[in-house]
Amino acid sequence: MNERIAGTEIEQLIQLLARLPGLGPRSARRAVLHLIKKKEGLMMPLAAAMQRAVDAVTVCAECGNVDTRSPCSICTDPRRKDNPMLIVVEDVADLWALERAGIGPVRYHVLGGVLSPLDGVGPDDLSIDRLIARAPQFSEIVLAVNATVEGQTTAHYITDKLEHSGIRITRLAHGVPVGGELDYLDEGTLAQAMKARTSL
Amino acid sequence: MQWSGDGLIIGVRKHGETSVIVEAVVWGRGRHLGLVRGGRSTRMAAILQPGNSVHLTWRARLDEHLGVYTVELDKPRAAALISDREALYTTQLLCAHLRLLPERDPHDRLLEMATTILDGDFNALGRAQILSFFELALLDELGFGLDLSACAVSGATKGLAYVSPKSGRAVTAEAGQQYLDRLLPLPAYFGDRSTASLADILQGFRLTGHFLQMHVWEPRNLEPPPVRDQLLAKLQDRASGAVNSPSESKP
């Protein structure tokens, strides 16, 4: 039987931290011990920062990004305002990944997932209607969803919805990743890469 | 407990940070689930896509446990599917239908039909026709098969033109005259397995959809798979000439 080794407050903190991605009970315990040791230098500023974030974080009503204001800083960025390209992503992590890649001053739309019959996610659970409403502002919509069966079903669903809009609908290329060795790639990706080959 | 077999992946659900629960239909074993450790890695994610055929080894301490799968890719289809809209919708619909089967109960007839649909060199019409047969077979395997062999009223085996929406039994054109507003039209290709027109195929889907709704989706509190509507909408577009696929010329 597990014996409690610390007070309720500390145990609760360990349990909550253990629920974070990448952390288990052992690593959560180490993190809590570290926080306790650095109470003033780390624990208190962290608690204050988390409280501020809890108070301020909101979902952008326009694109679905998370920020401390709505419309978010991306939607209100004047450099992006006249860009005719909209990039559709599954979730905020993908938006951040594209921003890190420095693809330019584009605007985004976060779907909030993909169509997944297994998880019971249907078109009404995603922000597809909002995307259809925003679409006429753009001349190109890039469907940057994952190259999975569910991701591409979602992409085709959106394409069907925008079929008669006259907007150019594109998707990201599928193929060999930078640093990828052909020998280790799956046959399907290789076949797609071969189909999408370009002239040098 | 351990066994090995070949199967078709029909669903993948995330489990924890690195693992997934794979749902596959295995020859001789039916719909069977198992945990794949490390299934969310880049290499495994490419293999664990619905529509891919795989070689599976399942291990568990007891038969009733979820168990752990070891997966090797046998026939990759997902990468080819994702660029073909109708093939992708068809695959998703097949997977949604196969998920209706009870667990660990072999239904090799459906698996065979599913792999035929996935691998066959059909045009859109041919694929839709065999998919409607698949729905008919699914109803049969679930215990709600339609009786299209003889007329429920006269016992005649020729001239069958309608189906009773309640009993699922065929009715001849003559016997059905006075119930026309209630009977469902029976497309001829369901009886004689001939090549069907697009209008007939859509009629076939309406028929199977009615019985799937009545016997399967509604009692289980399920909505029809949205991808079925999308696929039928594409077929209807084709009927009205809005879509002209380059694969139309195939046999």
Side-chain angles (χ1 to χ4, degrees):
Chain A
M1 195 176 137
N2 281 343
E3 211 171 291
R4 216 160 64 181
I5 51 169
T8 328
E9 294 82 359
I10 295 174
E11 281 295 332
Q12 196 184 5
L13 188 57
I14 292 169
Q15 279 174 18
L16 287 171
L17 281 178
R19 284 160 63 177
L20 294 178
L23 292 185
R26 285 175 80 93
S27 41
R29 197 166 287 127
R30 284 179 59 205
V32 167
L33 271 176
H34 187 74
L35 286 169
I36 291 169
K37 277 183 196 163
K38 304 206 168 189
K39 190 178 168 184
E40 287 186 8
L42 187 61
M43 197 177 191
M44 285 165 65
L46 179 67
M50 285 180 85
Q51 187 55 54
R52 279 198 302 276
V54 167
D55 294 339
V57 163
T58 184
V59 176
C60 175
E62 208 163 311
C63 71
N65 185 17
V66 287
D67 203 343
T68 52
R69 56 186 172 163
S70 176
C72 67
S73 44
I74 288 180
C75 289
T76 51
D77 183 348
R79 291 178 305 132
R80 301 173 193 255
K81 209 171 175 203
D82 297 322
N83 195 321
M85 185 189 283
L86 177 74
I87 299 188
V88 178
V89 292
E90 281 182 28
D91 58 38
V92 176
D94 299 330
L95 186 156
W96 289 355
L98 287 166
E99 277 297 285
R100 280 201 307 275
I103 53 164
V106 294
R107 280 190 280 172
Y108 297 92
H109 187 88
V110 181
L111 288 173
V114 284
L115 297 174
S116 171
L118 199 58
D119 298 322
V121 181
D124 297 339
D125 301 308
L126 307 176
S127 63
I128 293 175
D129 287 344
R130 196 143 34 96
L131 170 65
I132 307 294
R134 287 183 80 192
Q137 302 170 37
F138 304 91
S139 59
E140 181 177 357
I141 292 180
V142 184
L143 298 171
V145 289
N146 291 337
T148 59
V149 168
E150 287 177 349
Q152 294 305 308
T153 304
T154 312
H156 285 304
Y157 180 84
I158 294 169
T159 310
D160 284 347
K161 289 278 173 189
L162 294 168
E163 200 170 17
H164 305 295
S165 64
I167 302 164
R168 184 173 178 234
I169 314 285
T170 55
R171 67 162 194 202
L172 298 184
H174 301 151
V176 184
V178 174
E181 294 176 39
L182 296 192
D183 192 23
Y184 289 97
L185 281 182
D186 67 288
E187 295 90 331
T189 306
L190 271 176
Q192 284 293 310
M194 192 62 194
K195 265 190 205 167
R197 65 189 183 276
T198 52
S199 303
L200 289 173
Chain B
M1 308 289 304
Q2 179 173 336
W3 55 257
S4 293
D6 295 322
L8 177 74
I9 293 180
I10 59 167
V12 180
R13 206 175 304 178
K14 288 174 188 170
H15 183 80
E17 286 174 42
T18 56
S19 303
V20 292
I21 294 173
V22 167
E23 205 172 345
V25 182
V26 185
W27 292 102
R29 296 188 180 275
R31 188 168 72 89
H32 205 293
L33 278 77
L35 181 80
V36 177
R37 294 210 172 95
R40 291 177 70 180
S41 68
T42 317
R43 192 182 74 82
M44 287 308 290
I47 295 171
L48 301 175
Q49 290 294 315
N52 279 349
S53 280
V54 287
H55 181 72
L56 298 156
T57 303
W58 182 83
R59 286 186 192 90
R61 197 163 59 79
L62 294 173
D63 194 37
E64 55 264 41
H65 284 177
L66 172 67
V68 175
Y69 268 143
T70 312
V71 187
E72 279 176 57
L73 186 63
D74 179 23
K75 186 160 192 176
R77 296 191 188 92
L81 288 172
I82 56 181
S83 53
D84 181 344
R85 185 180 313 183
E86 284 175 35
L88 191 61
Y89 288 168
T90 304
T91 309
Q92 286 278 68
L93 183 56
L94 283 173
C95 292
H97 282 336
L98 289 169
R99 278 198 293 272
L100 297 169
L101 296 173
E103 264 188 71
R104 303 187 183 190
D105 188 23
H107 291 276
D108 287 356
R109 175 164 70 128
L110 290 179
L111 183 54
E112 190 170 355
M113 287 182 87
T115 47
T116 305
I117 294 170
L118 293 172
D119 292 334
D121 188 21
F122 302 110
N123 61 18
L125 218 59
R127 189 161 49 201
Q129 185 175 359
I130 193 166
L131 187 61
S132 66
F133 280 128
F134 179 88
E135 290 196 344
L136 208 57
L138 175 70
L139 280 165
D140 196 32
E141 294 274 331
L142 291 173
F144 306 108
L146 310 187
D147 181 1
L148 308 178
S149 57
C151 176
V153 181
S154 64
T157 54
K158 302 259 167 148
L160 300 170
Y162 302 102
V163 176
S164 159
K166 282 188 182 171
S167 68
R169 296 185 65 188
V171 179
T172 56
E174 198 182 2
Q177 274 306 314
Q178 47 187 321
Y179 309 106
L180 282 183
D181 54 333
R182 276 175 276 170
L183 293 173
L184 298 166
L186 170 67
Y189 77 93
F190 271 172
D192 57 20
R193 307 267 152 170
S194 56
T195 308
S197 68
L198 188 50
D200 282 344
I201 293 169
L202 289 169
Q203 198 72 68
F205 276 112
R206 270 193 286 277
L207 185 68
T208 52
H210 170 83
F211 288 102
L212 282 169
Q213 177 69 27
M214 185 168 84
H215 293 305
V216 186
W217 295 324
E218 205 171 290
R220 298 188 193 188
N221 208 12
L222 294 172
E223 288 293 319
V227 78
R228 190 176 189 272
D229 292 336
Q230 287 164 248
L231 189 63
L232 294 187
K234 280 280 139 211
L235 287 173
Q236 249 146 7
D237 283 351
R238 196 177 287 276
S240 59
V243 175
N244 198 5
S245 164
S247 60
E248 200 66 64
S249 57
K250 281 185 191 170

